[in-house]
Amino acid sequence: MRADVAVAGNGVLGLSLAVELKRRAPGLRVVLVGPASRPGGATAAAGAMLNCFAEVTDTTHRHPASRAKFAMARTALDAWPDWLAALGDGAGKGPSLASPGTFVVLGAQATATAVRNFDAVQEALKEHAEPHQEVQAADIPGLRPVPHERPLRALYLEREGAVDARAVLQSLETCGRRLGVTVTDGSTTHLLTAGGRCTGMRLDDGTEIAAGAVVVAAGTASGPLLDQLLPGRTPPMLHGTGCAVRTLRHTRPGFDRVIRTPTRSGACGMHLVPLGGGVEYLGATNVVSFAPPPGPRLGVTQFLLRFATDQFDTRLGMSAVQGWHYAGRPVPLDRFPLLGPTGIDGLYAATGTYRDGFHSSPVIARHLADTILDPGPLPELLAPFAPVRDPIETMTVEESIDLFVSDEVETAAEYGMRLPYFLDTEPIAARARSQAHEALERLDRPIALPPEILAAAHAAPPTHLRHLNTYLRTSPPTAGSVPSP
Ligand SMILES: Cc1cc2nc3c(=O)[nH]c(=O)nc-3n(C[C@H](O)[C@H](O)[C@H](O)COP(=O)(O)OP(=O)(O)OC[C@H]3O[C@@H](n4cnc5c(N)ncnc54)[C@H](O)[C@@H]3O)c2cc1C
C-alpha cells in the first residue's frame, strides 16, 4: 500500500489530523491505522470537556511552555463551534455540544491548592475578558451536595461545555471516510526506514505502507513506537490511568451543564458531564505509572463515586450504572505534549496530550497539517512541544519536592484523614519527603518532576527506570544536585 501520509493511531488526534489533511489537500493519499475497537484509547473514555479557563491553575502563567499550552487551549475554544459544524453531513449538521456551559465550584472542604487554582481561574477570566458570571450555589440547577461540601464560591463559564467523545469519534471517522481517508483496522508494529528517513510502517498482519510522512498518534503506545527510531530521545511516555462511570438518572432533575471542581496537581478535578436523556458521565480518576496497570484501582474508583454524590448531588446514589470507561492518558515525563517533526525526515509525533488533548485536538490538527503540507519553520504554537527535547522543568528540584509533599498531605485530607488536635500532619509530610528523595535517588540526575510523575518514578519497575535514565543521560544536566533530606 502507498500513501502520502500514514497515521498510526485512530484516537481524536490521528482522526482530526487525517480529516484536516484531506480537507486542505483533497488529492493527498491519507491512510489511518488503528484497531477498530480502540482498546485502552483515551479518547473513547474521555469526558470531553471543552475546557480552557476551567483548567487554569496557579502555575499556568509561570512558565513559557505552560503559557503556550494555555494559548493552544484558548485557540481551541474559538475553533470548536466551526469544527463541530464542519464534521456534519455537508449540510452543516454535525455533532452538537452535549452540554453548553460549565460551572466551576469550590466546595467548603476544598484544599489549599484547589482554592489557589479557583482564584487563578477567576483571574484569568478577568484578564482575558472571557464571558463568565459569579453565581451562588443555590442558582446551580441540580446541585444538592451533602451540607459540609456545599460550594462557597462558584463560576459559570458560558463558552466552555462538553461533547460526547464517542459521538465525535464516530463523526470524525465518518467524515474522514467521506473525504477519502483510507481507514485500516490494525496496529502499527514497526516504523520503516531507508537512508536515514522514515519511509513507512508495517502492520500486525504484515502489510507494509510506504509513506512520504508517518505520524505517530497512538496514545500511550506512541512511546515504544517512537523509541524504535529515537531510542531514549523523547521524554518517556507514562500511563495516566483514568476511570469514569456513565449513569442514568433515577431521581431528577439532574444537571444540564457541566459541573466540575478546579484542577488539582495530580487530577483534572471531579466533574459531571450531562450527555442528554438523563445520562451523566462522572469522572475521572488519574493514577500515573510507567507500566500499564492491569486495571483501574478500586480505592480511587470508590472515592470517585463518593466525591460525586457528596460534592454534586446525593441523588446520584439512585442512578443506574450504564457502563464504565477506562483508559490510559498518554503522559510524557514532563507532562507536555509531543507535537511535530521529530528530527528524522518523514517522522512526526502527535501525542502526549495527557488530560486535555480532546479539547485542543482541532488546533493541534491544524498546526500539524501546516507542518506536514509545508515543512517550513515550525508554527509558533507547536515550537515548545518538539518531540525530541530535554524535559521541560517548570520549577526547581526543591520546589518539586515541596509540591509533592504538600500534595500528599492534601490528598490524605481529601480522602478523609482526620487527626486529633494534638497531632499535626508532619509524619505524613516526612514520609512523603523521604519518598520523594528515594524517587530522585533512583534517577541518574536530579530533575524537577510534577508530583504524580515523581510518585510514578518511586514505583517504576527496573526496565522502565533504565529507559528513563537512558533518556536523562542524553539530555544535559541542570545545575544543582539532589538536596539532602
Ligand atoms: C477518563 C478520561 C477523561 C478525560 N477527559 C478529558 C476531557 O474532559 N477533556 C479533554 O480535553 N481531554 C480529556 N481526556 C484526555 C484526552 O482523552 C486525551 O488527551 C486525548 O483523547 C488523547 O488522544 P489521542 O488520539 O492522542 O490518544 P488515544 O485516544 O489514546 O488514541 C490512540 C489510538 O491509537 C490506537 N493505537 C494504539 N496502539 C496502536 C498502534 N500500534 N498502531 C495503531 N494504532 C494504535 C489506540 O487503540 C487508540 O485508539 C480524558 C482522558 C481520560 C482517560
Side-chain angles (χ1 to χ4, degrees), residues 417-462:
M417 176 184 69
R418 197 183 150 91
L419 296 171
Y421 70 91
F422 50 85
L423 286 183
D424 73 9
T425 53
E426 184 45 36
I428 295 177
R431 178 178 171 273
R433 195 167 293 280
S434 93
Q435 275 185 344
H437 283 279
E438 281 162 22
L440 288 169
E441 277 157 18
R442 303 185 82 197
L443 309 183
D444 278 7
R445 70 176 180 81
I447 169 180
L449 293 173
E452 71 273 38
I453 312 282
L454 197 59
H458 187 257

Side-chain angles (χ1 to χ4, degrees), residues 8-14 33-35 38-39 41-43 45-49 186-188 217-219 221 225 242 281 284 327 329 353-359:
N10 56 351
V12 72
L13 289 194
V33 177
R38 299 188 172 89
T43 309
M49 293 179 293
S187 284
T188 305
L225 279 176
Y281 170 105
R329 301 173 180 87
T353 52
Y354 196 12
R355 295 193 303 234
D356 45 13
F358 195 99
H359 172 64

Side-chain angles (χ1 to χ4, degrees), residues 138-426:
D139 297 334
I140 301 178
L143 185 73
R144 194 169 80 182
V146 293
H148 57 275
E149 293 277 14
R150 196 149 195 85
L152 300 179
R153 295 161 69 191
L155 293 165
Y156 180 61
L157 283 54
E158 57 198 63
R159 291 207 305 150
E160 304 203 1
V163 286
D164 183 335
R166 280 70 42 200
V168 173
L169 263 185
Q170 190 54 54
S171 294
L172 276 166
E173 194 168 319
T174 307
C175 178
R177 286 182 195 275
R178 199 174 53 238
L179 292 167
V181 175
T182 306
V183 179
T184 304
D185 182 5
S187 284
T188 305
T189 53
H190 292 88
L191 301 180
L192 306 176
T193 53
R197 60 170 291 137
C198 184
T199 54
M201 58 174 75
R202 185 178 307 128
L203 311 193
D204 48 355
D205 65 359
T207 305
E208 291 199 353
I209 304 172
V214 169
V215 184
V216 174
T220 52
S222 303
L225 279 176
L226 290 169
D227 256 355
Q228 289 179 12
L229 303 191
L230 295 158
R233 304 272 314 284
T234 57
M237 186 72 78
L238 286 78
H239 300 253
T241 299
C243 181
V245 60
R246 214 178 53 252
T247 57
L248 180 65
R249 270 279 159 183
H250 174 270
T251 314
R252 306 256 164 185
F255 293 91
D256 62 355
R257 298 284 188 274
V258 174
I259 181 160
R260 58 166 294 170
T261 65
T263 297
R264 290 188 58 247
S265 65
C268 44
M270 180 72 219
H271 52 271
L272 181 152
V273 178
L275 293 172
V279 178
E280 291 167 319
Y281 170 105
L282 315 177
T285 67
N286 186 37
V287 177
V288 178
S289 59
F290 278 83
R297 202 180 275 175
L298 189 69
V300 288
T301 308
Q302 178 191 8
F303 272 89
L304 171 79
L305 304 180
R306 197 184 107 185
F307 289 159
T309 49
D310 282 7
Q311 296 177 11
F312 294 160
D313 184 7
T314 51
R315 292 163 292 197
L316 280 167
M318 296 301 290
S319 292
V321 172
Q322 282 201 325
W324 294 88
H325 297 290
Y326 167 62
R329 301 173 180 87
V331 196
L333 184 75
D334 55 14
R335 290 200 315 198
F336 288 98
L338 312 179
L339 304 172
T342 60
I344 291 187
D345 270 355
L347 181 63
Y348 298 80
T351 186
T353 52
Y354 196 12
R355 295 193 303 234
D356 45 13
F358 195 99
H359 172 64
S360 294
S361 56
V363 177
I364 292 173
R366 187 199 307 158
H367 288 290
L368 277 175
D370 287 345
T371 317
I372 293 169
L373 295 174
D374 181 14
L378 204 58
E380 202 184 323
L381 218 59
L382 298 189
F385 310 124
V388 174
R389 63 168 184 248
D390 301 334
I392 299 170
E393 294 179 78
T394 61
M395 55 195 147
T396 65
V397 176
E398 287 82 356
E399 284 167 347
S400 76
I401 295 172
D402 289 345
L403 191 60
F404 178 79
V405 171
S406 61
D407 208 55
E408 288 286 294
V409 173
E410 285 191 355
T411 304
E414 271 197 318
Y415 275 64
M417 176 184 69
R418 197 183 150 91
L419 296 171
Y421 70 91
F422 50 85
L423 286 183
D424 73 9
T425 53
E426 184 45 36

Side-chain angles (χ1 to χ4, degrees), residues 71-150:
M72 197 151 73
R74 252 192 106 200
T75 313
L77 198 55
D78 297 332
W80 267 102
D82 288 347
W83 181 248
L84 282 177
L87 285 184
D89 52 12
K93 239 182 93 207
S96 52
L97 282 176
S99 161
T102 293
F103 289 106
V104 183
V105 292
L106 187 70
Q109 306 234 29
T111 61
T113 304
V115 175
R116 284 197 307 275
N117 289 344
F118 187 92
D119 287 340
V121 170
Q122 199 164 19
E123 274 165 35
L125 289 165
K126 285 181 186 152
E127 186 187 334
H128 295 279
E130 174 67 19
H132 70 282
Q133 296 153 40
E134 284 179 52
V135 291
Q136 300 295 320
D139 297 334
I140 301 178
L143 185 73
R144 194 169 80 182
V146 293
H148 57 275
E149 293 277 14
R150 196 149 195 85

